Amino acid sequence: MNSLFSYPALFFFFFFLVHSIRSYFFMDLCSFFLSFSGGQPHKRRRTSEPIEIEDRLESLICRVGEKSTSSLESNLEGLAGVLEADLPNYKNKILRILCAVARLLPEKLTVYTTLVGLLNARNYNFGGEFVEAMIRQLKETLKNNLYNEAVYLVRFLSDLVNCHVIAAPSMVAMFENFISVTQEEDVPQVRSDWFVYVVLSCLPWVGKELYEKKDVEMDRLLSQIEGYLKRRVKTHVPMLQVWTAEKPHPQEEYLDCLWAQIQKLKKDRWQERHILRPYIAFDSVLCEALQHNLPPFTPPGHMPDAQYPMPRVIFRMFDYTDAPEGPVMPGSHSVERFVIEENLHCIIKTHWKERKTCAAQLLSYPGKNKIPLNYHIVEVIFGELFQLPSPPHIDVMYTTLLIELCKLQPGSLPQVLAQATEMLYMRLDTMNTTCIDRLINWFSHHLSNFQFRWSWDDWSDCLTVDLEKPKPKFVKEVLEKSMRLSYHQRIVDIVPPTFSALIPAEPLFIYKYEDESASSLPGYAVTVTVGNAIKNRASNEEILTILKEVPNPNQEDDDDEGESFNPLKIEVFLQTLLHLAAKSFSHSFSALGKFHEILKTLTDSDEGKLHILKVVYEVWRNHPQMIAVLVDKMIRTQVVDCAAVANWLFSQDMAHEFTRLFIWEILHSTIRKMNKHVQKIQKELEEAKDKLEKQQHKRVSLFMDKNSEDEEGQLEEQIERLQEKVESAQSEQKNLFLVIFQRFIMLLTEHLVRCETGSVDISTPWYKNCIERLQQIFLMHHVTIQQYMGTLENLLFTAELDHHILAVYQQFCALQL
Amino acid sequence: MSAKLNALNSDSYIDVSQYRDQHFKGNRYEQEKLLKQSNTLYVGNLSFYTTEEQVHELFSKSGDVKRIIIGLDKVKKTACGFCFVEYYTRADAEHAMRFINGTRLDDRIIRTDWDAGFKEGRQYGRGKSGGQVSTKILSLCKRLFIS
């Protein structure tokens, strides 16, 4: 017992206790260092294998800058010492890790540039090797179309100027090479955009230093940039804006906004006070260091398969008037705003998979006491959620992240979120329809986590306008989605009685042949017989025989033995079947599966497919969720095809539902299924081709015998078949888009012509919805649509088209030019 | 080039838990392998009134749902608080583990876990009276690594 409390034992105890407290970075550092210095007469020597050491190095480097009992400066100092000592044995690992954090942890840029600065001061050669490694990495990222990461690398290099690692003139020279890209001809605008963006986005960090050393060159650079920005084409902007209104916050194009911010920074003589700069504390050490010159860097030339980042619009919803107390929100053209937003976006990018960590990291943003951090976080999150064409991450991530943030800051964040929701509601009239969709999904899902508590009365203004206007429409869709996550009575209970017009219908089956009063309807008798047959597990043949009794309203007599399209037959069978299976999704799926053969027979023609969709809608029109899952199943089991679904959604029968969200969810889901189908077959083709190649290699190196000859022959046949399958699938895909675009053009042209002849304003709620839904098709499926641009331009989006419609197409083309 | 850092690749929400199905036909290694490839999730702590429709609506937020099987009381054949959700792709199931696990459905915080794959019979509760094994016992078993 006494030995437990002896001195050495105590020492061990605390040593290992400290080891296990991971947040105490500095202590970790000491122990790590100690295990190498060999100074202590430990009884137990730690067996540290190379892999363990690499992991430890990674861990130390990745964690520096996080919450610690010691100051950041002492941690950096300590780490620099450890790494310097490890250079003889682990130089390449350390280089690799530092290059990786430069690329993957941009929110901690200045922490790592300081670290590199300290290392360079202690070991000039290492500094040089690091710079070379970074240049190599930059070339690689550009080659691999990783433009967003390349920005972080260049920014890192530019901040190394502040740490006396890189000489300012050589950085300016690199910037000059970047800006020379704006002189290139016949290249996509997005290419030169990127090089301009990189240079401008580094200036908050290094503008001051570069201007002090090379002001003439920098002025020339900026004026070249200004010239470029003036002549650049901005057709794409309307398509990317979340709101069409300029007030209260203009949705600025990202380069325009950044330029304004840099102009202001220049006017303020490059005084920038937000960025955390640990290197300032080490100035006396760093300024003794020798600097390296960046090697001349020629931007890689434009390649046809290059994928430059798409332009974007800066999302703003708050300004200094919105945060009632506490620190003031930096202005929209302040460079602080740019840096804060950049860093918050980077934190989300790093931690999005782990919502608790992500929320914690966002809330512990350095310098948070000087800014209304909750407002910035909410704005950045909504900015990503509403980003066009699509959010950087899956939508549901943002819902869950906001919930985590509310949990961590229950006294303040929920209020900001409520304020934001209120603001978004107020501005619905000019909000892009795609963004409204996302808002509906977010808000209903969020409410379902908080017992649907909301001050609905505050929104009673929406009851006084036409229900097709954006505000009541939004509330209606939110209530519908909320019902899907709960149940009808719940929705009735949570809203004031005045909102009854907006409450969704009870999601009940509507059976045409319900009772005796329907007995006069044609086919009624057969519904009874067929219903009984199904309940008594009759075979498909028996049921088909029964169905032969159904008269065909399209024909006088059954001259082709009832094989042609008979809408009544479809109606009688499907209404009865779905009625019997109405209990749940599983029941309905089971029914569709069991009677698949019959359904295939009934829907052999295009008219048959259209009619089956019509019947599904008729019976389930109060349960759009059920319609969606049934249509999905029918596509997957090939009872209907994608084009049939598109034609059905655009048909006159569905015109009264055209502005409802569920219609577009079905359409986009259909397009996605088509896309996935094509990708799947393409993948099979690639795999077969790979297999053949391998087989052929084997043949060359081994004896060729009959078996391998046969195998090759089979593979070649398979490849031919798959090739045909791919072509046929792509043809179907192209046709689907043609159908959809054709329908849009017809509907929109009709409306525009009608308004023109009647001298009526074209901007009805219907029109706004329709034209933005057309935009949405382009935006949500832009990758696939790019393949068919030629056909679209030749067949559909020609110069004869009304300019309102053509504008959408032109804006889309401008996204990649 | 892809210098990925292990320290930054944390994705703890999709980790396999300690639970192992005692009735699984196969050894621990096989079960583990299936869990790591699975597209199917077990969902627990549902209300007895939670419907397939509600489950479908929520879990569709992380991707297309292939199939939902509501867990039933073995005797009463009524819903007894759990279900299986199968996705078409693993990636979609992973998103559910990251963003739907631990949030509310029908006002209850639900819990998701990897499942080796639905087999007929697994939709029945294994508790003494036909429902689920009590959650208290379940979590105790988890702590002791038995199931």
Side-chain angles (χ1 to χ4, degrees):
Chain A
M1 259 297 263
N2 282 339
S3 61
L4 255 178
F5 297 94
S6 69
Y7 216 150
L10 254 177
F11 180 84
F12 285 141
F13 175 76
F14 280 118
F15 183 79
F16 289 114
L17 178 68
V18 149
H19 250 283
S20 65
I21 302 174
R22 299 200 43 88
S23 64
Y24 286 83
F25 178 86
F26 189 57
M27 302 298 254
D28 244 356
L29 206 43
C30 283
S31 57
F32 183 85
F33 189 57
L34 283 173
S35 64
F36 284 103
S37 65
Q40 301 297 322
H42 291 172
K43 293 276 161 45
R44 216 189 287 174
R45 179 153 262 123
R46 286 184 349 129
T47 51
S48 311
E49 296 176 24
I51 294 293
E52 277 182 29
I53 293 177
E54 271 179 54
D55 283 345
R56 293 285 305 185
L57 282 173
E58 251 184 48
S59 174
L60 283 173
I61 293 174
C62 288
R63 279 167 40 222
V64 74
E66 282 169 32
K67 231 191 270 196
S68 166
T69 47
S70 317
S71 71
L72 176 59
E73 284 77 23
S74 59
N75 283 339
L76 281 171
E77 180 96 62
L79 183 55
V82 168
L83 295 179
E84 188 195 2
D86 283 327
L87 282 181
N89 296 321
Y90 297 101
K91 182 184 69 175
N92 286 329
K93 311 293 172 214
I94 293 172
L95 276 175
R96 182 184 67 83
I97 297 169
L98 288 174
C99 281
V101 297
R103 191 168 51 88
L104 301 170
L105 287 176
E107 62 268 27
K108 288 167 74 178
L109 173 69
T110 51
V111 169
Y112 292 116
T113 52
T114 308
L115 180 61
V116 172
L118 292 173
L119 287 171
N120 180 57
R122 293 164 188 238
N123 188 322
Y124 176 78
N125 287 333
F126 177 76
E129 287 188 65
F130 177 74
V131 172
E132 278 168 22
M134 284 287 283
I135 295 292
R136 276 198 304 273
Q137 195 182 202
L138 177 59
K139 289 191 176 132
E140 275 290 306
T141 46
L142 289 175
K143 208 166 85 178
N144 292 319
N145 282 320
L146 296 169
Y147 288 93
N148 292 328
E149 291 185 0
V151 173
Y152 305 142
L153 293 176
V154 178
R155 214 180 272 166
F156 196 95
L157 289 172
S158 71
D159 201 44
L160 286 178
V161 172
N162 293 325
C163 302
H164 297 262
V165 178
I166 291 179
S170 68
M171 195 72 225
V172 175
M174 180 184 248
F175 284 171
E176 283 170 344
N177 281 346
F178 280 12
I179 298 307
S180 67
V181 171
T182 61
Q183 303 301 319
E184 286 176 7
E185 289 179 0
D186 292 327
V187 292
Q189 184 175 276
V190 284
R191 169 178 162 83
S192 28
D193 280 354
W194 185 80
F195 285 96
V196 168
Y197 175 74
V198 169
V199 172
L200 287 177
S201 75
C202 291
L203 295 182
W205 280 267
V206 75
K208 182 154 183 279
E209 188 67 22
L210 293 184
Y211 248 82
E212 272 173 21
K213 299 275 157 53
K214 286 278 184 184
D215 63 334
V216 171
E217 286 80 356
M218 288 303 292
D219 269 335
R220 196 179 333 134
L221 214 55
L222 286 186
S223 100
Q224 276 181 302
I225 292 175
E226 187 171 21
Y228 172 74
L229 292 176
K230 284 209 175 89
R231 57 177 199 267
R232 102 188 242 274
V233 168
K234 291 194 284 198
T235 323
H236 54 274
V237 175
M239 201 174 217
L240 301 177
Q241 287 174 319
V242 173
W243 290 285
T244 51
E246 284 283 300
K247 294 194 186 340
H249 307 114
Q251 302 291 291
E252 277 185 291
E253 213 264 355
Y254 78 113
L255 275 183
D256 288 341
C257 185
L258 182 53
W259 175 246
Q261 287 163 329
I262 298 301
Q263 292 281 75
K264 185 161 184 297
L265 178 62
K266 182 174 174 199
K267 259 205 207 108
D268 293 340
R269 286 159 15 154
W270 305 99
Q271 299 301 324
E272 188 290 318
R273 280 179 237 288
H274 177 82
I275 296 174
L276 180 79
R277 297 178 195 257
Y279 38 82
I280 294 179
F282 293 103
D283 198 49
S284 51
V285 169
L286 294 176
C287 71
E288 298 291 310
L290 289 173
Q291 295 167 320
H292 305 266
N293 281 319
L294 278 174
F297 186 90
T298 326
H302 172 63
M303 304 291 282
D305 62 346
Q307 289 157 28
Y308 303 102
M310 260 200 263
R312 52 192 191 285
V313 152
I314 302 297
F315 178 82
R316 291 278 163 69
M317 64 181 291
F318 292 129
D319 61 34
Y320 71 97
T321 61
D322 295 307
E325 358 157 289
V328 174
M329 192 168 220
S332 58
H333 284 166
S334 71
V335 91
E336 282 77 25
R337 197 73 179 260
F338 172 77
V339 172
I340 294 165
E341 286 167 359
E342 263 297 284
N343 284 336
L344 292 177
H345 282 299
C346 289
I347 291 173
I348 295 175
K349 186 163 185 240
T350 306
H351 299 287
W352 66 274
K353 290 185 197 159
E354 298 199 308
R355 65 210 207 210
K356 284 192 168 69
T357 309
C358 195
Q361 289 286 333
L362 285 170
L363 289 170
S364 54
Y365 180 71
K368 63 184 175 175
N369 297 319
K370 304 203 195 102
I371 54 176
L373 182 61
N374 286 343
Y375 285 87
H376 285 290
I377 291 174
V378 167
E379 187 177 72
V380 163
I381 289 177
F382 277 125
E384 289 201 8
L385 180 62
F386 297 137
Q387 188 176 302
L388 295 168
S390 46
H393 306 288
I394 188 174
D395 294 33
V396 70
M397 184 279 283
Y398 299 103
T399 311
T400 318
L401 179 59
L402 283 169
I403 293 174
E404 283 305 315
L405 288 163
C406 285
K407 277 196 212 155
L408 289 177
Q409 295 264 287
S412 56
L413 207 117
Q415 291 86 319
V416 176
L417 199 50
Q419 189 181 351
T421 309
E422 182 65 38
M423 285 167 117
L424 293 168
Y425 169 80
M426 301 278 283
R427 297 173 201 171
L428 279 171
D429 286 333
T430 55
M431 194 185 220
N432 184 299
T433 304
T434 304
C435 300
I436 297 182
D437 287 352
R438 296 187 202 156
L439 183 60
I440 291 166
N441 284 323
W442 167 73
F443 189 49
S444 52
H445 188 189
H446 180 85
L447 284 179
S448 75
N449 274 272
F450 294 96
Q451 298 99 41
F452 294 105
R453 274 182 275 118
W454 185 251
S455 45
W456 298 99
D457 273 316
D458 289 352
W459 288 357
S460 48
D461 64 323
C462 76
L463 301 169
T464 60
V465 297
D466 167 22
L467 291 187
E468 278 298 305
K469 286 249 152 97
K471 280 182 185 167
K473 203 155 174 40
F474 167 76
V475 174
K476 201 155 178 274
E477 297 282 3
V478 165
L479 293 179
E480 194 177 310
K481 285 278 167 144
S482 299
M483 182 178 72
R484 295 195 197 185
L485 289 168
S486 58
Y487 49 94
H488 188 259
Q489 186 57 42
R490 190 80 200 277
I491 304 305
V492 172
D493 291 340
I494 61 166
V495 295
T498 42
F499 277 68
S500 56
L502 300 179
I503 294 176
E506 245 192 293
L508 301 170
F509 189 92
I510 299 169
Y511 189 39
K512 192 171 174 179
Y513 307 99
E514 181 74 64
D515 48 32
E516 299 293 309
S517 64
S519 56
S520 55
L521 291 173
Y524 173 79
V526 186
T527 66
V528 177
T529 329
V530 131
N532 288 330
I534 293 172
K535 279 188 255 190
N536 293 328
R537 300 169 200 272
S539 70
N540 285 351
E541 289 75 32
E542 290 168 327
I543 293 182
L544 278 170
T545 311
I546 296 173
L547 288 175
K548 276 209 175 97
E549 301 300 315
V550 181
N552 191 337
N554 287 350
Q555 296 174 281
E556 251 113 55
D557 43 11
D558 258 337
D559 50 357
D560 55 357
E561 295 175 30
E563 291 301 317
S564 67
F565 167 57
N566 181 343
L568 190 58
K569 201 191 279 197
I570 294 176
E571 182 124 20
V572 160
F573 177 65
L574 199 52
Q575 284 245 5
T576 309
L577 179 65
L578 291 181
H579 180 229
L580 288 170
K583 185 153 187 247
S584 75
F585 287 0
S586 287
H587 286 84
S588 296
F589 295 160
S590 185
L592 289 181
K594 200 150 174 244
F595 297 99
H596 182 251
E597 289 310 311
I598 298 184
L599 291 170
K600 286 284 280 187
T601 314
L602 291 174
T603 61
D604 204 24
S605 61
D606 281 346
E607 307 145 297
K609 293 184 171 69
L610 211 52
H611 200 75
I612 201 177
L613 292 164
K614 196 172 166 195
V615 173
V616 167
Y617 171 75
E618 286 296 315
V619 298
W620 280 120
R621 60 188 181 270
N622 286 336
H623 196 349
Q625 192 194 10
M626 175 67 95
I627 298 177
V629 302
L630 288 178
V631 170
D632 175 82
K633 256 305 173 267
M634 293 194 293
I635 293 176
R636 289 185 193 272
T637 54
Q638 296 172 322
V639 171
V640 299
D641 59 15
C642 295
V645 175
N647 277 318
W648 163 63
L649 291 171
F650 280 94
S651 70
Q652 191 51 41
D653 287 335
M654 295 300 282
H656 63 293
E657 303 279 37
F658 195 69
T659 56
R660 281 183 69 185
L661 182 50
F662 83 92
I663 297 290
W664 301 98
E665 287 181 336
I666 293 177
L667 183 61
H668 287 290
S669 171
T670 303
I671 299 173
R672 275 198 308 270
K673 278 191 274 286
M674 181 80 249
N675 296 346
K676 285 197 182 137
H677 175 66
V678 170
Q679 282 164 6
K680 181 161 165 265
I681 310 180
Q682 279 171 331
K683 189 160 169 241
E684 281 173 30
L685 178 61
E686 288 309 305
E687 282 167 2
K689 280 187 179 163
D690 283 341
K691 232 172 134 185
L692 180 65
E693 214 181 294
K694 282 202 184 89
Q695 191 73 359
Q696 285 168 339
H697 277 245
K698 261 197 343 212
R699 186 194 3 130
V700 168
S701 47
L702 298 174
F703 238 87
M704 160 130 116
D705 65 348
K706 186 117 198 355
N707 277 342
S708 53
E709 224 184 277
D710 278 343
E711 247 189 87
E712 257 185 58
Q714 276 179 354
L715 274 174
E716 279 168 359
E717 257 182 53
Q718 192 189 19
I719 288 176
E720 227 183 277
R721 268 183 286 123
L722 282 173
Q723 191 70 54
E724 278 171 22
K725 251 181 119 180
V726 165
E727 280 162 15
S728 142
Q730 281 175 328
S731 165
E732 200 188 331
Q733 186 182 50
K734 181 160 76 169
N735 184 53
L736 176 61
F737 281 111
L738 283 176
V739 165
I740 292 171
F741 285 130
Q742 253 163 3
R743 295 297 213 139
F744 266 114
I745 290 173
M746 275 161 44
L747 281 173
L748 285 166
T749 309
E750 231 179 72
H751 171 85
L752 289 165
V753 165
R754 208 180 322 124
C755 288
E756 225 176 292
T757 46
S759 298
V760 166
D761 184 16
I762 59 168
S763 300
T764 59
W766 180 92
Y767 175 73
K768 178 182 187 284
N769 181 283
C770 192
I771 196 104
E772 287 179 358
R773 290 294 179 194
L774 172 60
Q775 267 179 3
Q776 190 183 38
I777 304 284
F778 280 112
L779 290 176
M780 280 178 68
H781 308 284
H782 61 92
V783 176
T784 318
I785 293 175
Q786 302 272 283
Q787 302 166 48
Y788 304 119
M789 297 292 272
T791 313
L792 292 176
E793 198 152 328
N794 289 332
L795 286 183
L796 296 176
F797 293 98
T798 59
E800 287 97 54
L801 218 52
D802 185 300
H803 67 98
H804 292 96
I805 309 173
L806 199 53
V808 174
Y809 179 71
Q810 288 164 341
Q811 285 163 16
F812 171 69
C813 294
L815 284 180
Q816 286 291 298
L817 276 170
Chain B
M1 181 204 69
S2 59
K4 281 205 176 256
L5 296 179
N6 294 331
L8 295 181
N9 266 353
S10 188
D11 199 357
S12 55
Y13 282 79
I14 64 168
D15 285 343
V16 174
S17 78
Q18 307 284 11
Y19 174 87
R20 295 292 176 269
D21 183 0
Q22 272 302 57
H23 294 199
F24 177 78
K25 299 273 189 296
N27 61 35
R28 282 287 146 116
Y29 170 73
E30 283 160 11
Q31 191 173 159
E32 192 115 353
K33 187 158 171 249
L34 285 176
L35 290 174
K36 292 213 167 109
Q37 298 166 344
S38 171
N39 297 348
T40 307
L41 300 178
Y42 162 89
V43 184
N45 202 40
L46 298 180
S47 139
F48 284 15
Y49 299 102
T50 298
T51 61
E52 191 187 345
E53 283 80 348
Q54 289 165 323
V55 173
H56 193 279
E57 178 70 13
L58 182 61
F59 282 85
S60 292
K61 291 181 186 294
S62 73
D64 291 337
V65 170
K66 186 172 179 185
R67 174 162 74 143
I68 294 171
I69 296 131
I70 299 285
L72 301 173
D73 181 301
K74 193 159 191 170
V75 173
K76 295 183 240 169
K77 300 292 199 292
T78 52
C80 69
F82 72 96
C83 73
F84 296 98
V85 176
E86 188 185 343
Y87 287 93
Y88 288 99
T89 68
R90 168 92 183 176
D92 292 344
E94 286 180 352
H95 280 325
M97 289 287 286
R98 292 186 192 110
F99 308 121
I100 300 179
N101 186 13
T103 66
R104 288 186 192 266
L105 176 57
D106 223 5
D107 281 331
R108 294 167 68 100
I109 297 199
I110 57 168
R111 191 176 42 87
T112 65
D113 199 359
W114 291 109
D115 187 82
F118 177 75
K119 289 233 162 23
E120 183 53 42
R122 296 191 69 237
Q123 72 269 41
Y124 296 110
R126 296 175 187 158
K128 274 215 205 114
S129 53
Q132 268 207 280
V133 174
S134 102
T135 37
K136 277 215 187 84
I137 295 176
L138 261 178
S139 48
L140 176 66
C141 288
K142 270 202 228 148
R143 283 208 298 279
L144 300 175
F145 308 136
I146 327 165
S147 29

